Amino acid sequence: METSTKSQKRNKIIYWIFMLWLSLGMISTAIVQLLKNKDEVENFTSLGYPIYLMIIIGVWKILGVIAVLIPKTPLLKEWAYAGFFFVMSGAIISHMASDHNFSKIFASLLLLILTIISWYFRPADRKMI
């Protein structure tokens, strides 16, 4: 019984550490996208995407962070995690298809890893089942 409690506590700490970093990463990149930062505009256009997509993705990132942080609503959290996964994996694939070097891929890869770890260690009250 004690081991289970320790394991749950450890998992909760891991979850909140990775959730904090994931939230900060998503919010900061969303702000850069919503403000149409010059470097981010160049990044998007070099991938062949229209600039208006930055606004859509930026808004959805902020809404996703809100969804994963608010209590209850496990279905909404699953959708938010799925959205994070698709956006970050899509960014990685887009950079790779455009022959960008690892420094361009790193931020998306890091956010994808944070998404997966946060999702995996989320507490039982934040899961569907």
Side-chain angles (χ1 to χ4, degrees), residues 33-50:
Q33 291 165 339
L34 292 173
L35 294 177
K36 295 183 184 174
N37 174 275
K38 180 181 163 240
D39 292 336
E40 190 66 11
V41 168
E42 288 176 18
N43 191 31
F44 256 70
T45 55
S46 75
L47 294 170
Y49 294 121

Side-chain angles (χ1 to χ4, degrees), residues 99-122:
D99 290 326
H100 289 169
N101 61 28
F102 185 72
S103 66
K104 291 278 190 178
I105 298 170
F106 179 74
S108 301
L109 179 61
L110 177 60
L111 286 171
L112 179 63
I113 291 168
L114 292 171
T115 297
I116 293 167
I117 294 172
S118 173
W119 176 84
Y120 181 81
F121 284 101
R122 70 200 188 286

Side-chain angles (χ1 to χ4, degrees), residues 13-47:
I13 291 169
I14 291 169
Y15 166 77
W16 280 109
I17 289 170
F18 282 88
M19 176 50 65
L20 173 65
W21 284 107
L22 173 63
S23 298
L24 290 172
M26 289 296 177
I27 292 292
S28 64
T29 57
I31 290 169
V32 166
Q33 291 165 339
L34 292 173
L35 294 177
K36 295 183 184 174
N37 174 275
K38 180 181 163 240
D39 292 336
E40 190 66 11
V41 168
E42 288 176 18
N43 191 31
F44 256 70
T45 55
S46 75
L47 294 170

Side-chain angles (χ1 to χ4, degrees), residues 47-101:
L47 294 170
Y49 294 121
I51 295 171
Y52 69 81
L53 187 60
M54 287 181 11
I55 304 302
I56 295 168
I57 292 173
V59 168
W60 281 110
K61 283 180 179 179
I62 290 171
L63 293 174
V65 169
I66 292 168
V68 294
L69 288 177
I70 60 173
K72 312 287 184 206
T73 64
L75 179 60
L76 188 59
K77 290 178 194 331
E78 291 295 321
W79 278 90
Y81 275 117
F84 291 160
F85 181 86
F86 294 135
V87 168
M88 293 303 105
S89 61
I92 292 166
I93 293 166
S94 296
H95 284 296
M96 290 171 67
S98 298
D99 290 326
H100 289 169
N101 61 28

